[in-house]
Amino acid sequence: MTQPVIKARGLVKRYGKVTALDHCDFDLMPGEIVAVIGDNGAGKSSLIKAISGAVSIDAGTIELEGKPISFSSPLEAQDAGIATVYQTLALSPALSIVDNMFMGREIRKEGIAGSVFRALDHAKMREIAREKLSELGLMTIQNIDQPVETLSGGQRQGVAVARAAAFGSKVIILDEPTAALGVKESRRVLELILDVRSRGIPIILISHNMPHVFEVADKIHIHRLGKRLCVIDPKEYSMSDAVAFMTGAKLPEGAVEAA
Amino acid sequence: MSDTTQPTRKGQEFEQTLDASDKTVASFEHESRGFVDRLQHALHSNPTLVPVIVLIGAVAVFGLIAGGKFFSAFNLSLIIQQVSIIGILAAAQSLIVLTAGIDLSVAAIMVLMAVIAGNLSVYMGVPPVLGLLASFVGGTAAGLMNGLLVTRVKLPPFITTLGTWSIFYALNLWLSGAQSIRSQDIDANASILKFFGNNIALGGARITYGSILMVAVFAVLWYMLNKTAWGRHVYAIGDDKDSAELAGIRTDRTLLSVYALSGFVCAIAAWASIGRVGSISPQAFYEGNLQSITAVVIGGISLFGGRGSIMGALFGALIVGVFQSGLRLAGVDVLWQVFAIGWLIIFAVAIDQWIRKVSA
């Protein structure tokens, strides 16, 4: 079997008396979309935050491509190649698409202009941004200097995903990418997700939308009471099975991997 | 995983009707756009237009009312000279306002640093250059103190600088003994402190070095804010600090640098103010804090952060200067000048709110 991109074992996270993660495991294989579903309070967010570096875990190990990792901030995780698209998207509405895509990783001009005067290479950044956006089929956005606040919800999601996919990411975590979108825009974003996977970047998808999860996910990680209950193949189970497992109404049998 | 190359799946059943759906995107009827609409949109994409238009309008109107007296090269250069100190303070203020903060202590830092430079150079026999150096270090440290209180202790900028305003003012009275340093004493011991009071005569115009300094300060800060990554980060923080943090910007570090730089610019203003006033008075510029905010607001920089150009603050300061000069030359009482500035502030903020209502 090939090596997992992300392999987490025995993660524990406590908030005071509350145990959010109770010896939880997680696996992500190359090129696959793993959806994480679970009831409210099951610990999905804590799991994702542990992987994306937003919270530090109390016990357990996380490996990225076989190497143990421990992050103290989302920035470190980003540098290591784990990019997260938050539900809030983390875009600056008044700044342009280019400025947003390169936020925190701007390109400076070469020579003295860049090293001494720290001048930005706007032309180069524009060119790369345009390239990345059209790779993902997002060039319906005509003017890449337009402020993000003038874009629709789906376009904003697109810019955020493009930013995550653009900079050598090994894993992209998408937190509720379709939660605030209409039917048409959700469709565009789902296609975008499949498009990113076809580029070989594995994706962790957190969503409450069962139809969307069952449509795009290769595996579904069901989270219950702070640990992995099971991992199922969406082709072999129905949505009602998944909901039953997730809420504890039914126990899984013969899941792809046992807890 | 074998299905990674599969073409995009057909989507869900209820989505099949989408193909037949209306593909036109909701849009407004552009023909019906009147002049006011187009103006609103133009202003939205370029907020600095407002102060520019007001400035040109004010110059034209006062030129008509007061005639040649107003339009003389001497008077126009005098206006620039008069606004130079508040202008530099407004530049420092703009940096803070762009991060969605406000700094009530800029003028207090400036006067304190002028007193420190003066005391060291004039009374204590320190070489004037070192006295100035001390004021630059001190100004940066004072700004850094504001920044640390905002980022580490997590106090709102308004409260922080309300406190440090009093603290710096008290320190200034203590160090100066509430006494001014006389112009002759400065000339005798440390004439370099008055360097920015020198001027170049150009026809009838008297362009002081202080006026040139003000323009230079704005030019450098404009470059930093618009052409460097640091500047983009400042705007992003003012826009939405949490988003900026998640996008990978070290927001607290950037904020600290903004406050320290603002303090440094206040120290520059201190040096310029000695040249402008001639003496060093601990009581001078007591209203400077609020006047700098006035210039920033009239200049179209949003108090909510992240929007507006620092050049707006320069135009804002000039607008105030033009109003004061024009009304004075037209023989209007000082109290009506203050009255007019008050309306100008309200007008500027009302325009800002109006512009915000458009979505591109």
Side-chain angles (χ1 to χ4, degrees):
Chain A
M1 202 170 160
T2 47
Q3 190 188 35
V5 182
I6 287 186
K7 181 175 157 189
R9 287 293 173 265
L11 300 183
V12 176
K13 177 68 193 173
R14 292 188 193 90
Y15 296 100
K17 284 180 185 166
V18 180
T19 303
L21 289 178
D22 180 14
H23 299 91
C24 166
D25 298 341
F26 181 81
D27 289 280
L28 178 70
M29 302 302 291
E32 72 178 8
I33 298 177
V34 170
V36 178
I37 62 172
D39 238 351
N40 288 331
K44 297 187 303 282
S45 306
S46 299
L47 171 64
I48 295 317
K49 283 181 181 161
I51 295 171
S52 70
V55 301
S56 55
I57 45 174
D58 298 324
T61 57
I62 306 177
E63 288 177 10
L64 176 66
E65 293 179 329
K67 290 185 222 47
I69 49 174
S70 81
F71 302 125
S72 57
S73 77
L75 194 67
E76 285 177 29
Q78 225 166 70
D79 288 342
I82 301 179
T84 309
V85 178
Y86 298 90
Q87 201 173 346
T88 55
L89 300 183
L91 298 171
S92 298
L95 294 180
S96 72
I97 296 170
V98 190
D99 283 338
N100 267 294
M101 280 192 68
F102 284 88
M103 188 54 64
R105 40 167 84 93
E106 291 84 355
I107 300 173
R108 276 193 240 134
K109 278 186 185 155
E110 285 171 24
I112 295 174
S115 58
V116 180
F117 295 107
R118 313 235 143 206
L120 292 175
D121 196 338
H122 289 288
K124 193 166 173 193
M125 289 197 291
R126 263 189 211 111
E127 188 189 312
I128 295 175
R130 207 170 276 136
E131 196 179 294
K132 297 291 178 193
L133 286 173
S134 40
E135 266 179 26
L136 290 171
L138 285 166
M139 268 329 274
T140 47
I141 297 165
Q142 278 130 19
N143 178 5
I144 128 166
D145 287 316
Q146 76 191 72
V148 164
E149 65 191 350
T150 65
L151 301 177
S152 71
Q155 288 173 320
R156 287 184 206 195
Q157 190 83 45
V159 172
V161 173
R163 172 167 75 181
F167 298 96
S169 301
K170 293 172 182 149
V171 180
I172 296 179
I173 302 173
L174 296 171
D175 188 7
E176 294 283 4
T178 56
L181 302 179
V183 175
K184 262 199 240 178
E185 292 199 312
S186 295
R187 170 79 9 231
R188 295 284 302 277
V189 168
L190 292 177
E191 275 167 17
L192 187 62
I193 292 172
L194 294 171
D195 222 4
V196 170
R197 182 189 58 183
S198 70
R199 260 152 240 294
I201 305 176
I203 291 169
I204 304 172
L205 172 71
I206 301 117
S207 182
H208 275 113
N209 187 318
M210 288 297 151
H212 290 165
V213 165
F214 271 73
E215 185 187 334
V216 297
D218 299 303
K219 283 183 193 160
I220 298 174
H221 168 123
I222 299 178
H223 213 73
R224 181 166 160 72
L225 301 176
K227 54 179 112 182
R228 177 166 71 182
L229 178 68
C230 59
V231 174
I232 60 171
D233 185 330
K235 290 188 208 66
E236 290 164 17
Y237 286 84
S238 70
M239 289 184 209
S240 50
D241 289 335
V243 173
F245 296 153
M246 177 175 124
T247 54
K250 213 158 97 177
L251 277 177
E253 283 173 63
V256 174
E257 286 166 56
Chain B
M1 252 174 296
S2 54
D3 57 1
T4 46
T5 51
Q6 220 179 44
T8 308
R9 283 169 253 195
K10 277 311 289 172
Q12 283 141 33
E13 198 253 320
F14 66 88
E15 288 175 323
Q16 304 301 328
T17 54
L18 278 182
D19 291 337
S21 66
D22 187 2
K23 290 287 193 293
T24 53
V25 178
S27 63
F28 298 100
E29 285 174 39
H30 290 261
E31 303 82 53
S32 68
R33 263 195 196 178
F35 170 75
V36 177
D37 264 355
R38 265 181 289 144
L39 179 70
Q40 197 179 11
H41 280 76
L43 295 179
H44 183 257
S45 44
N46 200 349
T48 316
L49 267 181
V50 183
V52 171
I53 293 169
V54 172
L55 182 59
I56 293 171
V59 169
V61 169
F62 287 119
L64 286 175
I65 297 173
K69 269 188 296 180
F70 179 83
F71 254 131
S72 67
F74 175 75
N75 188 52
L76 293 178
S77 64
L78 184 66
I79 292 173
I80 298 175
Q81 193 180 322
Q82 282 166 338
V83 303
S84 59
I85 306 306
I86 295 301
I88 297 173
L89 285 182
Q93 185 72 255
S94 302
L95 290 170
I96 308 293
V97 172
L98 281 174
T99 65
I102 196 152
D103 192 339
L104 298 171
S105 70
V106 282
I109 295 177
M110 172 182 79
V111 177
L112 178 60
M113 293 313 137
V115 167
I116 286 177
N119 267 8
L120 288 172
S121 320
V122 177
Y123 295 143
M124 298 171 76
V126 174
V129 177
L130 290 183
L132 283 171
L133 192 69
S135 75
F136 283 122
V137 173
T140 310
L144 205 57
M145 176 174 156
N146 281 336
L148 285 170
L149 288 170
V150 169
T151 57
R152 297 283 185 268
V153 193
K154 311 278 182 205
L155 299 179
F158 182 88
I159 303 299
T160 303
T161 56
L162 187 63
T164 53
W165 174 9
S166 296
I167 293 167
F168 296 145
Y169 186 66
L171 284 177
N172 147 41
L173 290 182
W174 172 62
L175 283 176
S176 63
Q179 300 287 311
S180 294
I181 302 176
R182 291 183 309 160
S183 185
Q184 306 92 291
D185 293 341
I186 299 174
D187 284 334
N189 297 297
S191 59
I192 192 178
L193 293 186
K194 288 167 83 172
F195 175 76
F196 287 107
N198 295 330
N199 64 60
I200 307 164
L202 212 72
R206 293 267 182 285
I207 298 171
T208 61
Y209 292 176
S211 307
I212 299 169
L213 177 71
M214 171 180 71
V215 175
V217 165
F218 273 100
V220 169
L221 292 179
W222 179 87
Y223 176 86
M224 290 174 72
L225 285 168
N226 290 284
K227 299 292 172 191
T228 72
W230 178 83
R232 299 290 84 194
H233 298 173
V234 171
Y235 274 89
I237 290 170
D239 213 354
D240 187 340
K241 185 167 182 267
D242 295 333
S243 288
E245 181 87 48
L246 289 175
I249 293 170
R250 295 173 202 278
T251 52
D252 280 353
R253 195 191 282 190
T254 307
L255 273 178
L256 269 185
S257 72
V258 167
Y259 278 91
L261 177 63
S262 167
F264 179 80
V265 174
C266 292
I268 296 178
W271 188 5
S273 76
I274 302 172
R276 169 83 190 107
V277 181
S279 59
I280 299 172
S281 161
Q283 263 95 11
F285 296 103
Y286 191 70
E287 291 181 349
N289 301 317
L290 299 178
Q291 286 170 335
S292 71
I293 297 172
T294 302
V296 167
V297 169
I298 293 178
I301 300 177
S302 170
L303 288 176
F304 302 103
R307 279 156 217 265
S309 164
I310 192 166
M311 282 302 168
L314 174 59
F315 298 128
L318 287 172
I319 289 171
V320 174
V322 165
F323 265 71
Q324 284 174 338
S325 168
L327 291 171
R328 191 175 58 244
L329 289 177
V332 178
D333 195 311
V334 177
L335 76 93
W336 296 113
Q337 297 175 21
V338 180
F339 183 85
I341 302 301
W343 280 110
L344 210 52
I345 295 173
I346 291 171
F347 171 73
V349 178
I351 289 275
D352 185 42
Q353 294 292 351
W354 178 62
I355 296 171
R356 252 162 217 291
K357 285 191 198 142
V358 241
S359 51

